[in-house]
Every structure is written in C-alpha cells, then in structure tokens.
Amino acid sequence: MKKVSSILWGVVLVAAGVILALNAFGITSINIFFDGWWTLIIIVPCVIGLFTNHDKGGNIIGICIGAFLLLCCQDVLSFDMFWKLLIPAAIVIIGVNIIISNVRGNKGTEVYKMLKDSGAPIKNATATFSGTNVNFDGEVFDGAELNAVFGGVKCDLRGAVIEKDCVINASAIFGGIDIFVPDNLNVKINSTSVFGGVSDKKRNNNQADRPTLYINATCLFGGVDVK
C-alpha cells in the first residue's frame, strides 16, 4: 500500500508541476489558487487514503468535509450550514461504519470476547496527558486494552510469548499509540476513525503457520501505528 500511496502522490505533484509550467509559458491560464484551493489539502490526502488505508470511513468523512468547505468558499453553500451539519454528519458516518462492521463480522471482536469468557488476562494501559510504555518481555500475551487521551502509549510485543491468536483494543483520542509487533505474527486491523487512522508498517501478514494479532482501533484526531 505504501508503494501505491507514493505513486498517487507522485501523480499529484507531476500534475501540479505541469500546470505551473504551462502557465509560465502562457500555454494555459489555469488558476490553481482559486477560492478555497486550500481545501485540497484535506480532499487530496483523503482520496489517496481510500486506496491505501485500512480505514475508509475516516477518509470518506474527510472528503465530505473538504468538498463541503470548497462549496462554501465558492458561495454555493454557507459556512453556517457547514458548522450545523459537521457533527451530525460525523456521527451518522461513524454509526454506519459500526453497523457495516458488525454485519460483515469482526474476528477481532470475537477473539476478544472468547478471551474475556475464558478468563484470560487482559492488560490495561492508559495515558492521559502523559506517556506510558508497556513491555511484555518474557510474558505470555493474550490481549490488551490501550487508551491514549491527549497522550501516548508505546506497547512492545517483540519479546512477548505469543502462541495463539491475540487481540488489542486501541483507542486514540487526540493521542497516539505505537504497537511494536514481532516478525512472526500476522496483523489484522479493524478501525473506526475520524480525522485519524491506523498505519500498518508490517508486511507478510497472511502466513498460515503464524498466530494473528487482531487490532480493534478507534481514532478520534489520533492515530495508531503498527511497527
């Protein structure tokens, strides 16, 4: 996905450079600094994110907000209407994401429920206006709850003993969560995000002979990085 993202950003930059060059030679007179041009800073990354990120809902919300702001700058819609509809629209889209996720089924939620029912230890780590490091070196890892609220959590699983499927419920609200994963572990992500998202830097996540780490992530102006 990283390669696709780089290619798409390259296409955007080439297109912008070509337009500026044609304008300089007087061949075209395209005004790239039109009213509301800055909304492209929101729209373009979200459009690229639809092709490269796990979380589609957050990118759809970003595209809708960017398009709405552009229409306001073009005097097609009013800014008063934008502020009235922003929060209701975000809530509706999040709700739709949750419904779709449950209809399709979420293996991560199933694994978490099985762990709770079996009495398996679920570790908790919360950072509120602070930073927290969680290390599982030499410990048997089944699952964890990670919460970052205006803070940061670093969770290191590289030295943990993982012999079966496990799960992490991660919530990043105006904060960030870094999860360091060993190479012999598959990673599956399910996320609901608004102005945030999950970045998965791991590769080879479909090896049949490996246990799987399921990450259920909720991001609100925050992010989860899987490294």
Side-chain angles (χ1 to χ4, degrees), residues 197-219:
V198 180
S199 173
D200 180 12
K201 298 180 174 64
K202 301 299 293 181
R203 295 292 181 269
N204 302 321
N205 285 331
N206 295 297
Q207 302 297 318
D209 59 339
R210 298 176 176 176
T212 299
L213 168 64
Y214 293 93
I215 298 177
N216 301 317
T218 300
C219 304

Side-chain angles (χ1 to χ4, degrees), residues 112-152:
Y112 182 79
K113 185 177 184 301
M114 287 190 294
L115 289 175
K116 293 287 285 186
D117 292 342
S118 66
I122 304 294
K123 302 292 182 69
N124 288 277
T126 299
T128 304
F129 293 99
S130 63
T132 299
N133 295 327
V134 187
N135 194 308
F136 292 93
D137 283 356
E139 296 183 37
V140 175
F141 180 80
D142 292 306
E145 291 265 4
L146 307 177
N147 302 287
V149 182
F150 291 96

Side-chain angles (χ1 to χ4, degrees), residues 4 8 15 35 38 40 49-50 53 75 80 88 99 112-113 116 125 127-128 139 146 149 165 172 186 191 210:
V4 175
L8 291 175
D35 290 340
W38 53 269
L40 296 179
L50 285 177
N53 292 345
D75 294 326
D80 287 340
I99 292 171
Y112 182 79
K113 185 177 184 301
K116 293 287 285 186
T128 304
E139 296 183 37
L146 307 177
V149 182
D165 291 350
N186 294 329
S191 64
R210 298 176 176 176

Side-chain angles (χ1 to χ4, degrees), residues 22-169:
L22 292 175
N23 286 347
F25 284 105
I27 299 174
T28 62
S29 57
I30 300 173
N31 181 16
I32 63 173
F33 296 106
F34 53 86
D35 290 340
W37 64 269
W38 53 269
T39 60
L40 296 179
I41 298 174
I42 301 174
I43 296 172
V44 172
C46 290
V47 170
I48 293 175
L50 285 177
F51 298 95
T52 59
N53 292 345
H54 291 279
D55 176 49
K56 308 300 181 185
N59 289 303
I60 292 173
I61 292 174
I63 292 171
C64 292
I65 290 175
F68 205 118
L69 287 171
L70 178 59
L71 292 174
C72 290
C73 291
Q74 295 289 323
D75 294 326
V76 176
L77 299 173
S78 68
F79 280 101
D80 287 340
M81 184 62 67
F82 170 77
W83 293 115
K84 289 179 181 178
L85 293 178
L86 176 60
I87 294 178
I91 292 173
V92 168
I93 294 176
I94 292 173
V96 170
N97 272 344
I98 294 173
I99 292 171
I100 293 174
S101 175
N102 282 276
V103 169
R104 290 186 305 184
N106 178 4
K107 183 66 181 295
T109 302
E110 295 174 6
V111 172
Y112 182 79
K113 185 177 184 301
M114 287 190 294
L115 289 175
K116 293 287 285 186
D117 292 342
S118 66
I122 304 294
K123 302 292 182 69
N124 288 277
T126 299
T128 304
F129 293 99
S130 63
T132 299
N133 295 327
V134 187
N135 194 308
F136 292 93
D137 283 356
E139 296 183 37
V140 175
F141 180 80
D142 292 306
E145 291 265 4
L146 307 177
N147 302 287
V149 182
F150 291 96
V153 175
K154 290 185 178 180
C155 176
D156 196 340
L157 301 178
R158 290 172 295 186
V161 179
I162 302 175
E163 300 174 342
K164 60 182 180 179
D165 291 350
C166 51
V167 62
I168 289 178
N169 287 348

